[in-house]
Amino acid sequence: MTIKWGIIGVGDVCEKKSGPGFQKADGSQLVAVMRRTPGLAADFAARHGVGNGFPEIKAYTDAQALVNDEDVNAVYIATPPGSHKELALMVLKARKPCYIEKPLARTAVESKEIVKAFADADVPLFAAYYRRAQPRFQNAKNLIVSGQLGDICDVTYTKSSSHHVNPNGGFATCGENLPWRLVPELSGGGLLLDVGCHVLDILDFMLGPITNVSGAAFQRGKYPERNCELLYPGGPPGKVEDVVHLNGLIKEVPLSCTFNFATPIIQDEFKIRGTEGCLRFSCFGTEPLQLSKQQKDGTVSEELIEIPALEHVQQPLIQIIVHELSGTAGIVSPSKGDNAIRCAELMDHVLSSYYNNARTWS
């Protein structure tokens, strides 16, 4: 059985991270694509060989037309989160399995509505927290679970960059030219929703659900006057958050995460410390895992664990999903609605006071 995919929203993420994976995964084929701007979907289809084996290139400007295509039997939604719920329910009405970009939606409420609808209809739903299927993070999890670090003592993560100040190679402009990732109505908030969700979800995967959560969000960046109209009703005038701090527990182990998107200092590091060693690695890089271990003679050994970089970062998860949809025994996707909801709840919690609990849209 071949799973024949259609993609709604063939933007940048589909060029290398995800799109080619639907073609290269065994038992999978990308047969149709959609983008609202005339010509862009057809251009993507021509460059990526979409619909190979079909008599015509299937490139749509209307999402409903792609969903209705009888050759499409599974749909990947790769649009900004603000449209995920509407599009997911459209796919559900056609009773087609759906793979949705992360985060699943703008808020936990929207995420739960999507998950419940698919569960009630008994239609498969998958969330694109694709790091769960990557060898890099599976290796890290195995080191932890196998006891290489001893008993885990504490976990920290730090992410810092100048993305909010410089999201597209220059200061963001206002209104229609503002990147969608900085427009809460489209994204759900600032870059915590787009970037931080990967961190929180992979912690959930490697160590377990995060509980006893506390935290706060702030706006600390210095922006030119012309860039201060980051419009959001109900939130601080003209601002989205660019610094977020989260504390919690994972199985009684203290966790601390800091995200700062308004600094020129670049950092990206997990640090998992145990009674017998420490594991350090990045979430978004490809450098080796760094394992430090206490030896019997009191010295500390250092080991670099090389993990080959992936050409298409979503392909391992796509392959698992294809196997599950094809009925391959014993293969189940590690990323579905339950982990997506847990991640959304964490983000809602730390953003609630910043946005005065007003992250709702009609």
Side-chain angles (χ1 to χ4, degrees):
M1 176 183 179
T2 298
I3 305 301
K4 298 178 180 178
W5 292 91
I7 300 178
I8 297 176
V10 281
D12 291 343
V13 71
C14 296
E15 288 291 342
K16 188 172 183 180
K17 290 183 178 181
S18 62
F22 293 99
Q23 296 281 58
K24 294 184 177 182
D26 294 337
S28 176
Q29 186 178 13
L30 179 57
V31 301
V33 292
M34 173 269 164
R35 194 165 176 181
R36 289 179 302 174
T37 305
L40 292 184
D43 174 70
F44 181 96
R47 289 186 290 104
H48 289 273
V50 175
N52 184 30
F54 286 83
E56 76 279 354
I57 290 179
K58 299 196 175 202
Y60 298 98
T61 56
D62 176 63
Q64 187 69 67
L66 180 141
V67 171
N68 292 344
D69 190 321
E70 294 182 356
D71 290 322
V72 172
N73 55 29
V75 177
Y76 166 45
I77 296 173
T79 60
S83 60
H84 285 184
K85 178 183 170 183
E86 176 185 0
L87 292 171
L89 296 180
M90 180 189 297
V91 175
L92 176 61
K93 189 174 181 180
R95 297 196 60 79
K96 296 184 179 183
C98 191
Y99 176 50
I100 304 178
E101 256 307 324
K102 55 77 209 165
L104 198 67
R106 293 172 293 192
T107 64
V109 170
E110 290 183 348
S111 298
K112 289 175 182 178
E113 289 172 349
I114 294 170
V115 172
K116 184 178 186 302
F118 275 80
D120 289 348
D122 195 27
V123 174
L125 173 69
F126 307 95
Y129 286 110
Y130 51 83
R131 281 173 168 78
R132 288 173 171 253
Q134 292 181 347
R136 177 178 184 80
F137 299 98
Q138 292 179 339
N139 272 268
K141 180 176 182 176
N142 289 339
L143 289 170
I144 297 165
V145 172
S146 66
Q148 291 291 307
L149 306 181
D151 295 330
I152 304 302
C153 300
D154 74 312
V155 179
T156 63
Y157 176 78
T158 302
K159 172 67 177 177
S160 63
S161 71
S162 60
H163 277 87
H164 264 240
V165 180
N166 190 16
N168 285 332
F171 282 108
T173 54
C174 298
E176 295 180 357
N177 294 322
L178 192 67
W180 65 261
R181 290 173 175 84
L182 303 187
V183 180
E185 185 175 356
L186 301 178
S187 67
L191 288 183
L192 179 70
L193 274 289
D194 186 55
V195 176
C197 67
H198 277 298
V199 174
L200 299 177
D201 180 75
I202 207 62
L203 284 168
D204 182 289
F205 171 71
M206 295 187 299
L207 293 155
I210 301 169
T211 61
N212 296 77
V213 177
S214 63
F218 310 89
Q219 211 277 358
R220 291 287 187 255
K222 302 298 183 183
Y223 302 99
E225 190 66 28
R226 65 185 177 87
N227 295 318
C228 288
E229 299 174 14
L230 307 186
L231 301 177
Y232 181 72
K239 298 178 180 179
V240 293
E241 82 287 351
D242 55 19
V243 175
V244 178
H245 188 70
L246 179 149
N247 290 320
L249 295 176
I250 304 178
K251 299 176 182 177
E252 303 305 316
V253 173
L255 165 71
S256 178
C257 296
T258 299
F259 303 90
N260 182 343
F261 300 108
T263 176
I265 307 303
I266 306 300
Q267 289 181 285
D268 172 16
E269 184 182 60
F270 289 106
K271 186 179 290 183
I272 303 171
R273 292 182 287 201
T275 55
E276 298 178 18
C278 176
L279 182 62
R280 291 174 294 165
F281 57 99
S282 70
C283 185
F284 302 98
T286 59
E287 74 288 337
L289 309 181
Q290 301 176 56
L291 176 62
S292 305
K293 290 198 64 176
Q294 178 82 38
Q295 302 301 304
K296 292 181 179 180
D297 63 1
T299 61
V300 176
S301 66
E302 301 285 347
E303 180 183 0
L304 297 180
I305 303 170
E306 297 275 357
I307 311 292
L310 297 169
E311 183 178 7
H312 310 296
V313 294
Q314 294 204 34
Q315 187 174 338
L317 180 57
I318 291 168
Q319 184 66 77
I320 292 172
I321 292 171
V322 168
H323 282 317
E324 180 176 342
L325 292 177
S326 300
T328 304
I331 297 184
V332 178
S333 169
S335 183
K336 295 189 176 182
D338 53 351
N339 60 288
I341 287 175
R342 290 196 297 273
C343 186
E345 289 176 333
L346 294 173
M347 294 188 291
D348 280 5
H349 188 92
V350 296
L351 294 179
S352 60
S353 61
Y354 185 85
Y355 287 108
N356 297 327
N357 295 305
R359 291 169 60 243
T360 57
W361 300 269
S362 59

